[in-house]
Amino acid sequence: MAIFKGAGVAIVTPMREDRTVDFEQFTRLLEFQISNGTDAIIVCGTTGESSTLTHEEHLEVIRYCVETVAGRIPVIAGTGSNCTETAIYLSTEAEKMGADGLLLVSPYYNKATQKGLYAHFKAVADAVKIPILLYNVPSRTGCNILPETIVSLCRDVENIVGVKEASGDIGQIGQLAALADGCVDIYSGNDNEIVPIMSLGGLGVISVLSNIAPAQTHEICQSYLDGDAKESCRLQLKAMELCKALFCEVNPIPVKKALQLMGMGSGVLRRPLTEMEPANTERLEKAMKTYGLL
């Protein structure tokens, strides 16, 4: 059974001016998501600035998220690392804290072979019992998890159940779906590809857009799941310009700015990320107004 179907939010980690985690604001963001129909919370992923959190902060954010959500919807914890032992440590701790699942990004910088990727993911999975989604985002990691490797892992390892696919290569994702023959739960990792990936058998999206438009992103997915592909496509196309604006600078710079524009302060960014350029802020604000968020 899938961890979730529909729209899971890759939630931001709000920061105070001193760049410590703002747990009070985090509560508000979590409640906003749940009350607007988000199907799952994905915490401490790329959008959550996990790469700049200490291990202690990383685990505290996961613990707080699990306790605040309190079983209302699934919580999937980002616990990947380019060090296998670190990924095992974060994953086992997240499991103890009550996470419903894990999201494991492919090891970055190392550029492991497919054999190395298989060994890495299997070692982490063998250390826990909860379900795992792989995260394929070669534009960030410099490493592409090939369809054959994903299928082998999902067939060979009981608790590796799917993948967040953010390669942007629809042909590769189609090849994955064909090879998998239903054994891999596929989620779009890009908001502008929700409908194309669901048309290949995907179950939904792990979404940046959901941070600011949770009800609308849920509806894109739910319409498709309900059999109304035409309505799902209409909603996807309506969101396209906003999706582009949310990635006109590196994620999560634009989405944190978008939350601020909505009066839902997400706080500052951690270095080396910097504040959004004024021209891009103007572009983002215009797209949000057109979409009806402002």
Side-chain angles (χ1 to χ4, degrees):
M1 183 177 178
I3 305 174
F4 77 97
K5 293 183 180 180
V9 62
I11 200 161
V12 303
T13 303
M15 307 282 182
R16 301 186 184 92
E17 288 300 317
D18 64 0
R19 292 184 171 81
T20 58
V21 177
D22 187 342
F23 287 103
E24 184 178 349
Q25 181 59 21
F26 194 36
T27 299
R28 297 190 190 100
L29 295 178
L30 290 169
E31 295 300 334
F32 171 68
Q33 290 297 318
I34 293 170
S35 65
N36 281 276
T38 288
D39 298 291
I41 304 289
I42 293 80
V43 62
C44 289
T46 304
T47 311
E49 296 176 80
S50 59
S51 59
T52 61
L53 297 173
T54 66
H55 291 167
E56 293 77 14
E57 288 174 321
H58 193 132
L59 293 173
E60 180 62 13
V61 171
I62 293 170
R63 182 197 64 78
Y64 189 88
C65 182
V66 170
E67 290 182 358
T68 302
V69 173
R72 289 176 285 175
I73 56 175
V75 172
I76 299 170
T79 54
S81 173
N82 63 340
C83 169
T84 303
E85 295 308 315
T86 299
I88 289 172
Y89 166 67
L90 293 173
S91 298
T92 54
E93 291 299 309
E95 181 178 43
K96 291 174 191 174
M97 292 169 180
D100 298 289
L102 305 174
L103 180 69
L104 298 182
V105 70
S106 56
Y108 38 88
Y109 189 76
N110 314 61
K111 288 193 170 183
T113 63
Q114 297 302 304
K115 181 180 177 181
L117 292 173
Y118 184 100
H120 169 82
F121 289 125
K122 187 177 186 303
V124 180
D126 286 347
V128 297
K129 292 183 173 62
I130 56 177
I132 289 170
L133 298 177
L134 310 176
Y135 179 16
N136 190 34
V137 58
S139 64
R140 282 186 179 268
T141 64
C143 187
N144 185 22
I145 317 174
L146 294 179
E148 293 83 358
T149 304
I150 295 170
V151 172
S152 293
L153 283 162
C154 287
R155 285 184 175 154
D156 298 347
V157 185
E158 184 178 2
N159 59 328
I160 297 180
V161 299
V163 63
K164 174 185 177 182
E165 242 299 346
S167 65
D169 185 340
I170 293 295
Q172 176 174 300
I173 298 166
Q175 182 188 7
L176 168 63
L179 289 172
D181 193 26
C183 79
V184 180
D185 294 341
I186 303 172
Y187 299 89
S188 176
N190 295 321
D191 287 305
N192 60 353
E193 296 175 349
I194 301 171
V195 173
I197 288 176
M198 292 189 78
S199 75
L200 294 169
L203 300 183
V205 63
I206 295 177
S207 169
V208 174
L209 175 65
S210 282
N211 278 280
I212 58 172
Q216 296 91 328
T217 313
H218 166 83
E219 191 56 33
I220 293 172
C221 297
Q222 195 59 51
S223 294
Y224 200 97
L225 293 169
D226 289 342
D228 194 346
K230 185 175 181 179
E231 175 63 6
S232 180
C233 182
R234 184 188 72 80
L235 295 170
Q236 170 84 88
L237 295 177
K238 180 181 177 182
M240 291 300 273
E241 193 57 38
L242 180 56
C243 291
K244 285 174 63 179
L246 284 170
F247 287 87
C248 65
E249 290 189 26
V250 70
N251 180 47
I253 293 174
V255 73
K256 275 199 155 183
K257 177 60 70 175
L259 283 164
Q260 291 167 14
L261 291 170
M262 292 172 68
M264 301 175 64
S266 54
V268 298
L269 297 143
R270 281 202 174 171
R271 292 186 291 263
L273 298 184
T274 54
E275 288 300 308
M276 200 169 185
E277 295 295 327
N280 286 330
T281 300
E282 185 178 338
R283 174 185 175 183
L284 175 62
E285 188 171 7
K286 181 180 178 182
M288 291 174 70
K289 286 179 178 176
T290 301
Y291 193 68
L293 294 178
L294 297 176

